Amino acid sequence: MSEHFYFFSTVNIVANAILSRGKCGLSRGITRYLVAMAVADLAVVIIEVGYFQIVDAYRAYWLLLPPPFCLVHYVFFYVSLDCSVWLTVAFTFDRFVAICWSTIQTKYCTPKIAGLVISTICVTFCLKNVPYYFLHREIGIGVWGGKWLTCTSKGSLHLDPKFEWFSWVDRLLNPLLPFFLILFLNILTVRQILASSRVRGGLRGQRTGKNEQDPEMKSRRQSIVLLFTLSASFLICWATTTLVFILLRCLYTDLETYIRLFMAQRAGAVIQLFSCCTNTFIYGVTQTKFREQLKIAALSAVHILVSIGRQR
């Protein structure tokens, strides 16, 4: 698990550093979304993989702070996860507007609006997840060094209608609504791209009398490929969690089926954590200038290490 933590952290830090320089050939608005997504993914890795999983795997309970810390950990984890998911939705909507809604493209697809959207998402989900601090309590499965080891839900919580309402709202906001929003927006975007391609291809064919590449469509291809690969990665990584949640809440299941679905839910949780590091590889595969900047960064790091070695 610690190897996964170092790997996930490294790829997100590298992606953040390269994107922040703004030399990947992307607009400032897109760059802001991608940097924000990289920061949110890094927060998920540090809070969930870096702390919770390593502490549990190595029984390093001495790392735990006083009892309220595990409650704060719940809040921070859900905030970072929600921000990571909804920033992906915001990026998808931004590209949808740029491709399909030309009347407001110049007003919406700007760095200022991107910053405003990112700030709104972060503030909204910080407030939305505050109840998690009060929905759990500290318990001592065992006590090591006089400190509590973990937190759990309050005993009568599941009988409270307010908790049931909050639980449904929470699951609606993540992952149900984002999953289907991204799927819906991509379907509309694909339909618009196909329609525009046919119309522009016909017009250019009539004017030139031969089939030539459209420079405008070629310039848009980079952002379109980036959009679809990021969206596809999100949908694949979150498909198991979304499907299991729907089955558990909407279907009557016996104990054996419930256990199998619970195991699938745990597997889905692991898969969705991988979505926090796939974006970096997507940038590398789809963005030529990102690969160039990555090579420059790698060569610079090697040069620094060689210089240090010579000085010693």
Side-chain angles (χ1 to χ4, degrees), residues 200 202-210:
R200 292 181 64 84
L203 293 175
R204 287 180 61 83
Q206 292 176 3
R207 289 199 306 264
T208 62
K210 55 183 178 180

PDB file of all heavy atoms in Angstrom, residues 200 202-210:
ATOM      1  N   ARG A 200     -19.773  20.769 -42.127  1.00  0.00           N
ATOM      2  CA  ARG A 200     -18.556  21.442 -42.573  1.00  0.00           C
ATOM      3  C   ARG A 200     -17.882  20.660 -43.697  1.00  0.00           C
ATOM      4  O   ARG A 200     -17.330  21.246 -44.629  1.00  0.00           O
ATOM      5  CB  ARG A 200     -17.591  21.627 -41.398  1.00  0.00           C
ATOM      6  CG  ARG A 200     -18.085  22.616 -40.350  1.00  0.00           C
ATOM      7  CD  ARG A 200     -17.064  22.764 -39.238  1.00  0.00           C
ATOM      8  NE  ARG A 200     -15.824  23.342 -39.744  1.00  0.00           N
ATOM      9  CZ  ARG A 200     -15.607  24.638 -39.886  1.00  0.00           C
ATOM     10  NH1 ARG A 200     -16.558  25.503 -39.590  1.00  0.00           N
ATOM     11  NH2 ARG A 200     -14.453  25.080 -40.359  1.00  0.00           N
ATOM     12  N   GLY A 202     -19.408  18.830 -45.946  1.00  0.00           N
ATOM     13  CA  GLY A 202     -20.157  19.068 -47.180  1.00  0.00           C
ATOM     14  C   GLY A 202     -19.880  20.439 -47.765  1.00  0.00           C
ATOM     15  O   GLY A 202     -19.708  20.584 -48.976  1.00  0.00           O
ATOM     16  N   LEU A 203     -19.821  21.454 -46.922  1.00  0.00           N
ATOM     17  CA  LEU A 203     -19.559  22.806 -47.403  1.00  0.00           C
ATOM     18  C   LEU A 203     -18.170  22.938 -47.995  1.00  0.00           C
ATOM     19  O   LEU A 203     -17.984  23.546 -49.063  1.00  0.00           O
ATOM     20  CB  LEU A 203     -19.745  23.812 -46.267  1.00  0.00           C
ATOM     21  CG  LEU A 203     -21.182  23.986 -45.751  1.00  0.00           C
ATOM     22  CD1 LEU A 203     -21.202  24.913 -44.534  1.00  0.00           C
ATOM     23  CD2 LEU A 203     -22.081  24.525 -46.855  1.00  0.00           C
ATOM     24  N   ARG A 204     -17.183  22.365 -47.333  1.00  0.00           N
ATOM     25  CA  ARG A 204     -15.812  22.457 -47.855  1.00  0.00           C
ATOM     26  C   ARG A 204     -15.667  21.654 -49.137  1.00  0.00           C
ATOM     27  O   ARG A 204     -14.940  22.043 -50.044  1.00  0.00           O
ATOM     28  CB  ARG A 204     -14.819  21.964 -46.796  1.00  0.00           C
ATOM     29  CG  ARG A 204     -14.638  22.924 -45.629  1.00  0.00           C
ATOM     30  CD  ARG A 204     -13.648  22.365 -44.622  1.00  0.00           C
ATOM     31  NE  ARG A 204     -12.334  22.182 -45.226  1.00  0.00           N
ATOM     32  CZ  ARG A 204     -11.424  23.142 -45.366  1.00  0.00           C
ATOM     33  NH1 ARG A 204     -11.700  24.375 -44.986  1.00  0.00           N
ATOM     34  NH2 ARG A 204     -10.260  22.882 -45.915  1.00  0.00           N
ATOM     35  N   GLY A 205     -16.398  20.536 -49.227  1.00  0.00           N
ATOM     36  CA  GLY A 205     -16.345  19.742 -50.452  1.00  0.00           C
ATOM     37  C   GLY A 205     -16.936  20.487 -51.632  1.00  0.00           C
ATOM     38  O   GLY A 205     -16.443  20.404 -52.759  1.00  0.00           O
ATOM     39  N   GLN A 206     -18.022  21.236 -51.367  1.00  0.00           N
ATOM     40  CA  GLN A 206     -18.627  22.013 -52.450  1.00  0.00           C
ATOM     41  C   GLN A 206     -17.719  23.146 -52.905  1.00  0.00           C
ATOM     42  O   GLN A 206     -17.667  23.479 -54.089  1.00  0.00           O
ATOM     43  CB  GLN A 206     -19.972  22.587 -51.977  1.00  0.00           C
ATOM     44  CG  GLN A 206     -21.049  21.537 -51.749  1.00  0.00           C
ATOM     45  CD  GLN A 206     -22.324  22.140 -51.203  1.00  0.00           C
ATOM     46  OE1 GLN A 206     -22.424  23.354 -51.046  1.00  0.00           O
ATOM     47  NE2 GLN A 206     -23.306  21.277 -50.918  1.00  0.00           N
ATOM     48  N   ARG A 207     -16.995  23.758 -51.947  1.00  0.00           N
ATOM     49  CA  ARG A 207     -16.149  24.900 -52.300  1.00  0.00           C
ATOM     50  C   ARG A 207     -14.868  24.467 -53.008  1.00  0.00           C
ATOM     51  O   ARG A 207     -14.434  25.085 -53.956  1.00  0.00           O
ATOM     52  CB  ARG A 207     -15.786  25.703 -51.039  1.00  0.00           C
ATOM     53  CG  ARG A 207     -16.954  26.468 -50.457  1.00  0.00           C
ATOM     54  CD  ARG A 207     -16.450  27.571 -49.545  1.00  0.00           C
ATOM     55  NE  ARG A 207     -15.558  27.053 -48.525  1.00  0.00           N
ATOM     56  CZ  ARG A 207     -15.945  26.731 -47.288  1.00  0.00           C
ATOM     57  NH1 ARG A 207     -17.236  26.836 -46.952  1.00  0.00           N
ATOM     58  NH2 ARG A 207     -15.077  26.281 -46.403  1.00  0.00           N
ATOM     59  N   THR A 208     -14.249  23.398 -52.520  1.00  0.00           N
ATOM     60  CA  THR A 208     -12.935  23.013 -53.054  1.00  0.00           C
ATOM     61  C   THR A 208     -13.013  21.914 -54.095  1.00  0.00           C
ATOM     62  O   THR A 208     -12.094  21.747 -54.883  1.00  0.00           O
ATOM     63  CB  THR A 208     -12.033  22.541 -51.907  1.00  0.00           C
ATOM     64  OG1 THR A 208     -12.628  21.387 -51.292  1.00  0.00           O
ATOM     65  CG2 THR A 208     -11.871  23.620 -50.851  1.00  0.00           C
ATOM     66  N   GLY A 209     -14.123  21.143 -54.060  1.00  0.00           N
ATOM     67  CA  GLY A 209     -14.245  20.052 -55.012  1.00  0.00           C
ATOM     68  C   GLY A 209     -13.403  18.852 -54.648  1.00  0.00           C
ATOM     69  O   GLY A 209     -13.333  17.889 -55.402  1.00  0.00           O
ATOM     70  N   LYS A 210     -12.772  18.848 -53.481  1.00  0.00           N
ATOM     71  CA  LYS A 210     -12.000  17.691 -53.040  1.00  0.00           C
ATOM     72  C   LYS A 210     -12.000  17.655 -51.522  1.00  0.00           C
ATOM     73  O   LYS A 210     -12.321  18.617 -50.843  1.00  0.00           O
ATOM     74  CB  LYS A 210     -10.564  17.759 -53.565  1.00  0.00           C
ATOM     75  CG  LYS A 210      -9.835  19.045 -53.194  1.00  0.00           C
ATOM     76  CD  LYS A 210      -8.454  19.072 -53.796  1.00  0.00           C
ATOM     77  CE  LYS A 210      -7.729  20.387 -53.457  1.00  0.00           C
ATOM     78  NZ  LYS A 210      -6.384  20.415 -54.029  1.00  0.00           N
TER      79      LYS A 210
END
